[in-house]
Amino acid sequence: MSEVQTSLDIFEGKPGNLLFAYNQDALQQNKYYTAGKLTAWSILHNGPGIKCLNQHLFQMMCGRTIDLSKFDLETFHDTDVQQRLEKVLYK
């Protein structure tokens, strides 16, 4: 599963706190699909799944309601995204 985290170029961020990257080339090459398939196979066979995702992202993907008031905007590497989120959060 560590290969999924590092070699497919579909994540960005710090290790253990990754978010999905916006990568059109990876999308066209089905890398997101491949990562999902490998993760599902790992979980199906009692493997580790993928443990690198940001905890807030993972909770939202599981359908849980979470408190985003403590979310660190610096999780996003793109400063433009950070600024846009600040506008949404603080207006």
Side-chain angles (χ1 to χ4, degrees), residues 1-2 4-5 10-11 18 20 35-36 38-40 42-43 47-53 58 61:
M1 293 310 300
S2 61
V4 171
Q5 298 171 41
I10 61 169
F11 296 109
L18 298 179
F20 291 103
L38 291 171
T39 301
S42 177
I43 293 169
I50 193 159
K51 297 183 181 197
C52 64
L53 294 178
F58 180 77
M61 289 172 62

Side-chain angles (χ1 to χ4, degrees), residues 11 16-20 39 43 48-66 68 71 75:
F11 296 109
N17 197 21
L18 298 179
L19 299 170
F20 291 103
T39 301
I43 293 169
I50 193 159
K51 297 183 181 197
C52 64
L53 294 178
N54 173 278
Q55 74 178 46
H56 294 103
L57 173 61
F58 180 77
Q59 295 294 325
M60 287 189 283
M61 289 172 62
C62 292
R64 296 189 178 147
T65 303
I66 60 168
L68 291 175
F71 184 78
T75 300

Side-chain angles (χ1 to χ4, degrees), residues 8-13 18-24 26-27 32:
L8 292 178
D9 200 28
I10 61 169
F11 296 109
E12 63 183 17
L18 298 179
L19 299 170
F20 291 103
Y22 178 78
N23 186 334
Q24 285 293 325
L27 182 63
Y32 290 96

